Amino acid sequence: MQEDSSKAPSQEQAASRLQKPLRLELKQACQDKAVAGGLEAFVRRWAPELAQGFTGYAGLGPAERLSAVQGALAALEAPQGKDEGGTMKAETVPGPAGAPASSLRLPVFGPVIRPSDPVTLLASLGPKRASVLRGLGVSTVEDLLWHTPRDWQDRSRLRSIAELAEGEMATVQGRILSSVNFRTRSRLTITEVAVQDASGTLSAVYFNQPFQQRRFKQGELVVLSGKVERKGPRRLQLQNPEAEVLPEGGEEALVHTGRIVPLYSLAKELSQRVFRSAVWQALPCLDSLADPLPQAMRERLRLGPLAAALRTLHFPADLAQLEPARQRLALEELLMLSLALAEKKRLEQENLAPVLRGGGLPARLMASLPWALTQAQQRVWAQLGGDLAMEKPMRRLVQGDVGSGKTVLAALALAAAVGEGWQGALMAPTEILAEQHLRSLRRLFEPLEVEVLSLTQAQKGKGRREVLSHLASGQPLIAVGTQALIQDGVEFGRLGLVVVDEQHRFGVRQRLTLSKKAKVEPHTLVMTATPIPRTLAMTAYGDLDVSVVDGMPPGRSPVLTRWVGTKQREMVWDAVRSQVAEGRQAYVVVPLVDESDKAEWQAATTLVEELRFGALAGLNVALLHGRMKPEEKEAVMAAFGSNQAQVLCATTVVEVGVDVPNATVMVIEDADRFGLAQLHQLRGRVGRGHAQSYCFLIGDPKTEEGRKRLEVMATTSDGFVIAEEDLRLRGPGEVLGTRQSGLPELRQADLLKDADLLLQARQEAEDLVRLDPGLRSPENQPLWRAVQARFGEKLELGNVG
Ligand code: ADP
Ligand code: MG
């Protein structure tokens, strides 16, 4: 058949006519100025088979334009094989969403890259960079695509230097004129980089980062972003701007400028540009990325395609698209986490636990108390008693603000175990606290003739062997200790209940190790005084049931809290002296970031000397710190407990749990150096009796955050308010300590913002685990495998199925 060239141009003709204007369009940053009348009409005329990708071109964003042009160029430049023609279109013509579907370096007909391929298949990622990437948890192309940006920079609207105004944040692009280091008289190294665009020049300055000078070479193109400051009467500058040297023209430049560009969290050996190029090359893989969520669930939750959300996060056409895309991924992430937790809980409850009704012992203990339980205590005890009387292992978290009276709840639960002929263990985070628990439990249980043993690190030799053989014998008793309880060689013969006090100090792993000592699955009670924001509790302890002791023993009045500057500290010592004169006692706490930090430990010692011979002369001021031997600590605590010492000057070893109701003053030195949770804990050491108590926060905070913390402390004593504020200031990883707590790191979800998503995810997960325990059905299996891959190790899910 004769080809009619007047109607439909041949492929070769189209290619030659199109390529030039398309390349020009690329060079001009896709401004639709390459051909008169607009690119869309032009393509429609010369290559109707490519026209679909140019629909509405004039109205597209820069990224969409770019991908349309690149797609078309790739199609035109590809070899003209017949059967490849079909795939060619599918691969390179952008979809209706206008998302980039082609890659830069990746030849359309080159090896097709799959999500499971190693990143080294991508251009510019050699073995060296790949090993840096491995450090970021990125080995495969799929990992790379999941490494979503930490921020974005809008380089689609670059400002010209001439129009910049002092004080604004701006992104400019220009050529480097010079880059020099010089030193000021005050021995500061300043790097000054002069940059020019069509409208004028500007300098970028860096302080004391001499290496910056080498980054900028004369003649190179650079994007700078930062705050515009005045340098001289007619000159502006950017101080410490974020800078990126751009590739010279051509297609690659368009990945890095003229659009909203992603910025990633990277190791310093890796540039944004290299990483961004790699992601760009990997984009075509998105469509073959499997979404583990079953179709029906995605529809129910109205989740759009995974690929689109990831693509948007990496290369958004518009900043407004980011939040919906993030939420899409956050919900999926929270769903997987919730499934892991729901399944973990289900599995644990398949085991059998002893039925602990207590044989009347809890009632006898209760009758021996000098006061009645508060309503909150009664309610929580009812829940605990109910759990313990069941064959399913209890997994319960008891939350209660400092001083709400959790110890007696632990004692009642332990009584239920012992009364039934089982052993109970109480694990505390510090020796001091273990020691204190030992004393109070002995006081409670001696009249009931229950043996209370202690196991600490310090115990050696015969004493230790005796304790161990008692534990192993299985005779009913209560063991109190620190991590020493979970060391190798500690065996319980008949462990029915484990109580973990101040859980946030222990990892999930440790909790389980202790449990494994038992022949059956013991019940677990976790107590924490650090109020945990609900969203955190649901993730970190999502496999636990939660009870809240939401009331204080009667007669407590809030601790009066004052923040005082270091210059006013005399007034603090006056207050201490007058309280001591009334028979009360005081704590003075000094910060100690690290027990091994000798300088600070000396600071504590020095302060004690100062107080003894100065402001508090005549009072018995005792010193307590982490480097003391256990016997010494014990002696000091005993002296303070019996009011032989009126003032206890201590490092943060007193932070948790110490209970001396006669102490009414808490003085915290350098208070701005403590975290909110810690401050709240410390303040909780006073206000434990009927007398009015006082807390003095001494500090001249140098940071805004430090100031904020002291303000919060001075204005509220509500532990939950403080916890929320803490989470806001520090973020979840810090609040719980990701490493210690076993809280899995969340990449997309933000527990502050996503509380609603979390609730939704949790509901969905619980329903699913109820309907399909173990997620064994074929449609749920891929989901379960994904959950295990993501959270299995962290949550010790084991390998099921
Ligand atoms: P926390 O919850 O911080 O562990 P504790 O268990 O140490 O609190 O209790 C704080 C203080 O309150 C202790 O001195 C304890 O004896 C006392 N206490 C506990 N429950 C009551 C109650 N129902 N009535 C009066 N005092 C109580
Ligand atoms: Mg306690």
Side-chain angles (χ1 to χ4, degrees):
M1 211 169 84
Q2 191 69 25
E3 215 178 83
D4 186 354
S5 61
S6 69
K7 272 187 188 158
S10 79
Q11 281 215 333
E12 266 104 313
Q13 277 176 319
S16 65
R17 272 189 218 223
L18 265 171
Q19 271 168 341
K20 238 179 161 173
L22 285 176
R23 290 217 186 92
L24 181 63
E25 176 73 0
L26 269 189
K27 228 185 204 148
Q28 296 178 340
C30 299
Q31 300 180 53
D32 202 14
K33 286 185 185 151
V35 288
L39 208 54
E40 181 178 357
F42 188 80
V43 174
R44 216 170 274 296
R45 172 160 162 72
W46 291 104
E49 76 279 10
L50 296 178
Q52 198 207 331
F54 286 83
T55 310
Y57 185 80
L60 294 180
E64 298 154 323
R65 285 187 184 179
L66 173 64
S67 70
V69 174
Q70 283 175 337
L73 271 173
L76 292 168
E77 280 156 16
Q80 300 289 317
K82 264 200 188 124
D83 45 8
E84 285 158 341
T87 43
M88 171 180 81
K89 255 162 80 179
E91 282 263 16
T92 57
V93 176
S102 79
S103 66
L104 287 173
R105 301 270 184 77
L106 184 70
V108 179
F109 297 104
V112 174
I113 294 188
R114 284 172 310 239
S116 57
D117 284 335
V119 284
T120 41
L121 282 195
L122 300 168
S124 78
L125 290 184
K128 224 177 178 170
R129 283 175 173 154
S131 89
V132 177
L133 279 174
R134 253 196 312 281
L136 297 169
V138 173
S139 311
T140 65
V141 173
E142 175 165 5
D143 298 336
L144 185 84
L145 289 166
W146 276 106
H147 194 82
T148 48
R150 64 166 159 83
D151 202 359
W152 295 262
Q153 202 177 66
D154 191 348
R155 296 183 188 166
S156 64
R157 272 167 304 192
L158 295 170
R159 308 285 308 279
S160 65
I161 289 174
E163 72 184 23
L164 295 181
E166 189 183 347
E168 64 176 342
M169 296 293 300
T171 303
V172 298
Q173 181 175 324
R175 288 212 180 267
I176 297 164
L177 296 176
S178 63
S179 170
V180 291
N181 274 344
F182 57 87
R183 284 175 76 119
T184 64
R185 272 203 290 182
S186 50
R187 301 186 144 221
L188 202 62
T189 303
I190 295 187
T191 308
E192 182 166 340
V193 186
V195 173
Q196 179 174 47
D197 74 359
S199 72
T201 60
L202 161 112
S203 30
V205 289
Y206 297 90
F207 299 104
N208 270 349
Q209 302 169 47
F211 61 89
Q212 293 280 8
Q213 189 266 335
R214 275 167 282 132
R215 273 180 73 194
F216 302 100
K217 303 208 170 54
Q218 192 190 349
E220 281 183 338
L221 203 57
V222 68
V223 173
L224 298 168
S225 190
K227 188 164 180 207
V228 182
E229 327 225 347
R230 179 151 299 286
K231 188 184 180 204
R234 316 191 58 195
R235 266 179 84 86
L236 296 175
Q237 68 176 19
L238 298 173
Q239 267 185 23
N240 294 315
E242 257 195 84
E244 193 175 314
V245 174
L246 294 174
E248 207 45 58
E251 294 176 42
E252 207 210 326
L254 291 150
V255 177
H256 306 287
T257 188
R259 62 159 68 235
I260 298 167
V261 295
L263 299 174
Y264 300 91
S265 298
L266 299 174
K268 71 172 184 300
E269 300 95 316
L270 213 59
S271 75
Q272 292 292 336
R273 182 173 143 188
V274 164
F275 194 86
R276 193 181 300 127
S277 288
V279 172
W280 179 268
Q281 293 170 63
L283 287 182
C285 280
L286 276 176
D287 296 310
S288 40
L289 218 59
D291 188 341
L293 300 190
Q295 180 69 24
M297 183 187 285
R298 261 180 284 158
E299 279 166 17
R300 194 165 48 244
L301 297 171
R302 300 216 182 88
L303 292 180
L306 174 64
L310 275 175
R311 183 175 286 139
T312 299
L313 279 189
H314 287 293
F315 290 100
D318 181 347
L319 290 172
Q321 298 176 344
L322 288 174
E323 185 53 20
R326 188 197 64 82
Q327 283 187 13
R328 155 71 176 81
L329 298 180
L331 181 54
E332 178 159 337
E333 183 175 46
L334 291 171
L335 188 58
M336 300 228 273
L337 174 60
S338 303
L339 277 169
L341 293 166
E343 184 60 18
K344 182 180 167 77
K345 183 171 174 181
R346 186 190 67 81
L347 284 172
E348 281 182 351
Q349 297 200 328
E350 277 184 348
N351 295 330
L352 284 187
V355 173
L356 305 176
R357 292 210 181 82
L361 196 59
R364 283 169 58 207
L365 175 62
M366 197 135 32
S368 73
L369 294 173
W371 24 254
L373 293 188
T374 64
Q375 273 191 359
Q377 284 169 323
Q378 279 173 27
R379 198 187 53 220
V380 176
W381 168 237
Q383 287 165 340
L384 293 176
D387 288 352
L388 292 169
M390 299 226 270
E391 246 178 0
K392 286 196 307 194
M394 167 172 82
R395 291 284 176 275
R396 191 171 286 277
L397 173 72
V398 171
Q399 271 196 67
D401 213 339
V402 279
S404 60
K406 295 180 297 295
T407 314
V408 68
L409 293 170
L412 288 167
L414 290 165
V418 177
E420 198 77 45
W422 289 75
Q423 297 172 315
L426 171 60
M427 190 158 74
T430 64
E431 301 252 345
I432 289 187
L433 194 51
E435 201 52 52
Q436 178 187 291
H437 277 316
L438 182 70
R439 274 199 306 274
S440 42
L441 289 181
R442 280 199 170 141
R443 211 167 38 233
L444 290 171
F445 281 102
E446 229 152 57
L448 307 175
E449 289 174 0
V450 172
E451 189 178 9
V452 183
L453 289 178
S454 98
L455 188 70
T456 61
Q457 233 83 27
Q459 271 168 352
K460 299 264 146 52
K462 185 156 168 271
R464 182 181 174 83
R465 277 198 304 278
E466 262 173 30
V467 171
L468 290 182
S469 83
H470 264 68
L471 300 184
S473 74
Q475 58 181 293
L477 53 78
I478 294 170
V480 182
T482 56
Q483 274 102 326
L485 283 175
I486 53 177
Q487 276 169 356
D488 281 345
V490 183
E491 282 286 346
F492 287 86
R494 209 168 138 78
L495 186 60
L497 168 69
V498 178
V499 182
V500 184
D501 195 13
E502 308 299 346
Q503 157 72 5
H504 63 295
R505 293 290 183 103
F506 291 102
V508 169
R509 184 175 297 268
Q510 286 170 309
R511 195 178 87 214
L512 291 180
T513 320
L514 179 56
S515 308
K516 279 178 194 135
K517 303 280 179 208
K519 305 275 189 296
V520 292
E521 188 76 14
H523 297 280
T524 308
L525 167 60
V526 174
M527 303 197 299
T528 176
T530 308
I532 306 163
R534 205 167 54 113
T535 48
L536 263 194
M538 277 167 59
T539 46
Y541 308 127
D543 54 333
L544 306 180
D545 298 313
V546 178
S547 301
V548 182
V549 191
D550 51 4
M552 290 285 174
R556 303 276 173 86
S557 50
V559 177
L560 286 177
T561 302
R562 274 191 73 175
W563 163 16
V564 293
T566 46
K567 293 217 179 72
Q568 300 158 275
R569 46 162 20 109
E570 275 313 311
M571 157 217 147
V572 173
W573 306 129
D574 288 346
V576 170
R577 272 198 310 268
S578 81
Q579 283 291 301
V580 171
E582 287 178 34
R584 304 294 175 191
Q585 290 166 274
Y587 297 94
V588 179
V589 176
V590 290
L592 188 66
V593 174
D594 174 3
E595 292 280 338
S596 63
D597 191 342
K598 206 169 158 200
E600 296 189 38
W601 161 71
Q602 273 173 344
T605 318
T606 315
L607 179 66
V608 169
E609 296 300 308
E610 275 173 27
L611 292 176
R612 278 178 185 159
F613 296 104
L616 300 182
L619 308 188
N620 190 349
V621 182
L623 170 65
L624 184 71
H625 61 73
R627 288 191 159 198
M628 286 165 39
K629 293 202 187 74
E631 311 88 74
E632 291 174 326
K633 287 188 203 168
E634 234 171 273
V636 169
M637 279 314 293
F640 190 65
S642 61
N643 201 359
Q644 266 170 283
Q646 290 102 39
V647 180
L648 182 65
C649 186
T651 58
T652 43
V653 286
V654 299
E655 181 193 333
V656 238
V658 172
D659 184 36
V660 178
N662 191 48
T664 52
V665 187
M666 169 60 69
V667 180
I668 306 176
E669 291 270 359
D670 288 330
D672 53 305
R673 291 177 55 185
F674 291 94
L676 266 180
Q678 238 179 340
L679 289 172
H680 182 64
Q681 277 292 328
L682 287 169
R683 180 169 59 183
R685 297 312 108 213
V686 295
R688 305 193 138 232
H690 290 277
Q692 177 62 54
S693 290
Y694 306 87
C695 175
F696 295 98
L697 307 168
I698 303 179
D700 302 323
K702 282 166 203 70
T703 64
E704 185 51 39
E705 209 194 296
R707 165 176 300 275
K708 182 84 198 155
R709 283 198 297 263
L710 298 191
E711 272 169 17
V712 170
M713 287 299 294
T715 46
T716 182
S717 54
D718 182 328
F720 282 88
V721 173
I722 290 172
E724 296 280 350
E725 201 56 51
D726 198 26
L727 183 61
R728 212 180 315 278
L729 288 172
R730 286 195 300 160
E734 286 290 308
V735 170
L736 279 172
T738 310
R739 273 205 346 263
Q740 291 180 31
S741 67
L743 173 69
E745 188 197 351
L746 294 170
R747 296 186 195 133
Q748 315 297 337
D750 175 341
L751 293 177
L752 274 180
K753 288 199 275 185
D754 296 333
D756 290 345
L757 292 182
L758 178 59
L759 285 174
Q760 200 184 353
R762 190 170 153 113
Q763 187 63 53
E764 186 74 24
E766 279 170 1
D767 291 349
L768 194 65
V769 167
R770 201 169 36 247
L771 289 173
D772 182 14
L775 305 193
R776 296 219 171 77
S777 73
E779 81 265 20
N780 289 331
Q781 276 213 344
L783 175 54
W784 181 237
R785 275 196 297 275
V787 168
Q788 276 187 316
R790 176 81 167 81
F791 294 114
E793 195 182 339
K794 196 84 200 189
L795 295 176
E796 302 202 321
L797 277 173
N799 247 335
V800 189

